[in-house]
Amino acid sequence: HGRSKHQETLLGCLSKVDKDVEKHKKKATTQLVLVSGVSGTGKTTLTMTLQKPVYRMGGIFAIGKYDLQHQSEPYIGLALACDKIYLQLKPSDSSCPRHDEKLEMFRNDLWDNIGDGIEVLSRIAPSIVELVLLETRRDYSSESESEDFGYGKARYEAKAKLNFAVRQLFRALCKHFGPVVLALDDLQWADVASLELLEDLLSDRKNRHLMVVGQYRSEEFDESSNLAKTLASLQTKCAKGGLEITEISTGSVDVEDVNGMILDLLSVDSSPATMELAKICHRRTQGNVFFVLVFLRMLYDKGFLVFNFGAMKWIWDASKIESGTNATTNVVALTHRKMASLQGEHQTLLALASCLGHVFEKSKLAIVAGGMNAAGTFSFDGTVVEQFLSLALDEGFLEGPSGEERSS
C-alpha cells in the first residue's frame, strides 16, 4: 500500500535489463536502484516485489544482507546472495531440460573464461564453484581459499584477480540466465571490499543485463562514509553512459494507505469505522509501515481488537483505543516494550540469537543456549528453544525462511 509508483519505477528499471529489450533494437543498460528510508518503511518488502517478475522472465533474483555485527567480514552480503543464486542454479528433480541445457552452457562458459582461476571465487561463491567443478569433472588446488589477501602489491593483485573472476561469473549468469537482479540490504554497513567489487560489477560495459537494488537506512547514511564515496564515483561513471542510477525514497504512508492495510488484514470493507481506526493508527505510528503492523498486533494482544465469532467479524471501540494507547515516537520504543514483556528465559534467548547475527541456524542457537551453567546460567533444552522460536516468529522478532534458517 502506498508504494504503487515505486513498484512501477522498479519494473521500469527491470525492463531495461531484460533480454527481450534487444529484440526491439534497443540497448540494455545496467541498472542501479537505490532504495532509502528510515527503519520500518518497507524497503525490503518493496524490493521483494521484483522477485516474481524476474522469475517470469526466466531470470535470477538473489538477496543478500549486510550486518553491523559482521562489518569486518568482507563480502558477507554478496556471499549470501551467491548462496541464493546457487539454489536457483542447482539441478533438481523438477528441473526442465532447458534449465539443464543453460546450466551446462553456463558451466562451460565460466570455465573457459576463468579456468584454474575459478578457485578465487570460493571466497564468495563456494557452492557455485563446487557446482561447476562437479559437473565438468575438473579439479583445482584449494590451498589459496583460506589465505588472506596479504599486503601491498600482493593484496592488490589478489583483489584484482577476485574482481575479475566475479565479473566473469555475473557475465556468464546474465548471458545464460539473465536478467540477474542482485538485491543488497543494509548497504550502509557494507565493507569497503564489497563496495569496490560492486562498483566494478556495475562498471562492466560487457554485462548489461545486471540490475542491483541497494537498500540503505537514510538515518544512518553519512556523506563521508565509504558508501557515499562509492555512490559518488558511480554517479560520475553513470554520466559516461552504460549505467543508469535511480533513487527511491520510502517515506511514511498516509491515512488512506493505512486504511487499505487494515481492510486487507481484517478482511473488511471500507467504512467510517475502519477510517477512524486508520486515523488512530496513523497518529500513533506516524505512518511507519512496520510500526502500524506492530501497533495493530498490540491492539489485539490488549483486547482492543477482537474477533467476534458470533458475527464472524473483527470489532473494536475507537474511543477505548484512543484513550487506552499512548503515542510512541518510533518503532524501537514499541518493539522494546514488547521484548521487555517476554519471559526472562525468552529474553535471554533473544539476546543470544542477536549475537549470532542477522541470519543463524536453529541448531547453532540450541548449542549456545544449552551451554554454560554451574550457576553461569543458560543450559536451555531443545523444547525451550523451540518455544522461543515459535513465539519470536509470531511476534515478528524473527523471520523464518525455509529450512533451519532464521533471520533476525
Side-chain angles (χ1 to χ4, degrees), residues 72-255:
S72 61
E73 297 179 28
Y75 309 115
I76 189 168
L78 286 165
L80 288 169
C82 285
D83 286 343
K84 302 295 191 301
I85 291 173
Y86 162 74
L87 294 175
Q88 294 170 61
L89 290 179
K90 70 174 184 177
S92 66
D93 294 338
S94 59
S95 294
C96 65
R98 178 59 180 154
H99 176 85
D100 294 339
E101 181 183 325
K102 290 197 293 184
L103 182 58
E104 184 62 27
M105 290 189 291
F106 160 75
R107 290 189 184 107
N108 292 330
D109 201 358
L110 187 60
W111 183 265
D112 290 343
N113 285 294
I114 303 180
D116 292 336
I118 198 171
E119 63 185 55
V120 299
L121 276 177
S122 292
R123 296 185 68 97
I124 292 179
S127 299
I128 295 177
V129 170
E130 287 183 18
L131 181 66
V132 171
L133 295 173
L134 177 66
E135 295 301 321
T136 53
R137 295 178 176 82
R138 285 153 175 154
D139 199 3
Y140 71 101
S141 170
S142 59
E143 292 179 1
S144 65
E145 281 185 34
S146 59
E147 292 179 4
D148 193 10
F149 279 146
Y151 301 93
K153 183 179 179 182
R155 180 182 180 83
Y156 175 80
E157 290 177 348
K159 289 182 72 174
K161 189 177 180 181
L162 175 64
N163 286 9
F164 172 78
V166 174
R167 194 161 61 243
Q168 295 298 326
L169 168 64
F170 277 89
R171 281 184 188 177
L173 286 170
C174 291
K175 178 180 178 181
H176 300 291
F177 294 97
V180 173
V181 175
L182 192 61
L184 298 173
D185 201 359
D186 282 329
L187 208 53
Q188 76 279 354
W189 291 326
D191 57 282
V192 175
S194 287
L195 293 173
E196 290 176 348
L197 181 50
L198 186 60
E199 183 175 353
D200 197 51
L201 281 174
L202 289 168
S203 304
D204 185 7
R205 295 199 173 194
K206 292 185 178 180
N207 185 11
R208 297 180 181 274
H209 299 289
L210 173 66
M211 177 174 173
V212 174
V213 183
Q215 305 153 57
Y216 65 90
R217 300 182 184 184
S218 54
E219 75 270 30
E220 297 189 39
F221 181 77
D222 187 339
E223 292 295 341
S224 63
S225 66
N226 292 316
L227 175 59
K229 293 173 184 176
T230 299
L231 296 182
S233 177
L234 285 168
Q235 287 285 2
T236 302
K237 293 178 180 180
C238 177
K240 297 178 182 178
L243 169 66
E244 289 186 7
I245 300 178
T246 303
E247 297 187 33
I248 294 175
S249 178
T250 57
S252 299
V253 295
D254 59 24
V255 176

Side-chain angles (χ1 to χ4, degrees), residues 150-387:
Y151 301 93
K153 183 179 179 182
R155 180 182 180 83
Y156 175 80
E157 290 177 348
K159 289 182 72 174
K161 189 177 180 181
L162 175 64
N163 286 9
F164 172 78
V166 174
R167 194 161 61 243
Q168 295 298 326
L169 168 64
F170 277 89
R171 281 184 188 177
L173 286 170
C174 291
K175 178 180 178 181
H176 300 291
F177 294 97
V180 173
V181 175
L182 192 61
L184 298 173
D185 201 359
D186 282 329
L187 208 53
Q188 76 279 354
W189 291 326
D191 57 282
V192 175
S194 287
L195 293 173
E196 290 176 348
L197 181 50
L198 186 60
E199 183 175 353
D200 197 51
L201 281 174
L202 289 168
S203 304
D204 185 7
R205 295 199 173 194
K206 292 185 178 180
N207 185 11
R208 297 180 181 274
H209 299 289
L210 173 66
M211 177 174 173
V212 174
V213 183
Q215 305 153 57
Y216 65 90
R217 300 182 184 184
S218 54
E219 75 270 30
E220 297 189 39
F221 181 77
D222 187 339
E223 292 295 341
S224 63
S225 66
N226 292 316
L227 175 59
K229 293 173 184 176
T230 299
L231 296 182
S233 177
L234 285 168
Q235 287 285 2
T236 302
K237 293 178 180 180
C238 177
K240 297 178 182 178
L243 169 66
E244 289 186 7
I245 300 178
T246 303
E247 297 187 33
I248 294 175
S249 178
T250 57
S252 299
V253 295
D254 59 24
V255 176
E256 290 289 344
D257 294 320
V258 174
N259 189 49
M261 293 172 64
I262 290 172
L263 300 183
D264 285 350
L265 289 169
L266 305 186
S267 298
V268 295
D269 296 326
S270 184
S271 68
T274 63
M275 182 56 76
E276 192 174 6
L277 177 60
K279 288 178 180 178
I280 296 172
C281 290
H282 192 268
R283 280 199 300 274
R284 296 291 189 259
T285 65
Q286 289 79 54
N288 183 295
V289 177
F290 175 69
F291 202 0
V292 169
L293 297 175
V294 173
F295 185 73
L296 286 170
R297 177 58 190 259
M298 184 196 73
L299 295 182
Y300 172 75
D301 290 340
K302 290 189 173 184
F304 290 118
L305 186 61
V306 179
F307 188 76
N308 186 316
F309 285 95
M312 292 302 290
K313 67 178 183 178
W314 290 92
I315 58 173
W316 60 88
D317 186 324
S319 61
K320 288 183 179 180
I321 293 175
E322 186 75 69
S323 61
T325 60
N326 295 315
T328 308
T329 56
N330 55 55
V331 179
V332 176
L334 183 56
T335 304
H336 181 269
R337 197 179 304 161
K338 287 181 67 179
M339 290 179 176
S341 68
L342 294 174
Q343 296 178 20
E345 58 187 17
H346 289 164
Q347 288 188 30
T348 300
L349 285 167
L350 186 61
L352 288 175
S354 68
C355 292
L356 294 175
H358 74 278
V359 174
F360 63 89
E361 295 176 358
K362 179 174 68 176
S363 58
K364 289 184 179 179
L365 178 61
I367 291 171
V368 175
M372 272 179 69
N373 230 334
T377 61
F378 287 9
S379 291
F380 297 124
D381 60 29
T383 303
V384 175
V385 174
E386 287 289 351
Q387 290 173 346

Side-chain angles (χ1 to χ4, degrees), residues 3-16 31-35 46 49-50 211 213 244-249:
R3 300 286 184 246
S4 57
K5 288 185 179 179
H6 295 332
Q7 289 178 33
E8 289 174 9
T9 300
L10 285 175
L11 290 173
C13 293
L14 177 61
S15 69
K16 294 178 181 179
Q31 299 290 310
L32 170 61
V33 182
L34 299 168
V35 182
L46 173 64
T49 61
L50 281 172
M211 177 174 173
V213 183
E244 289 186 7
I245 300 178
T246 303
E247 297 187 33
I248 294 175
S249 178

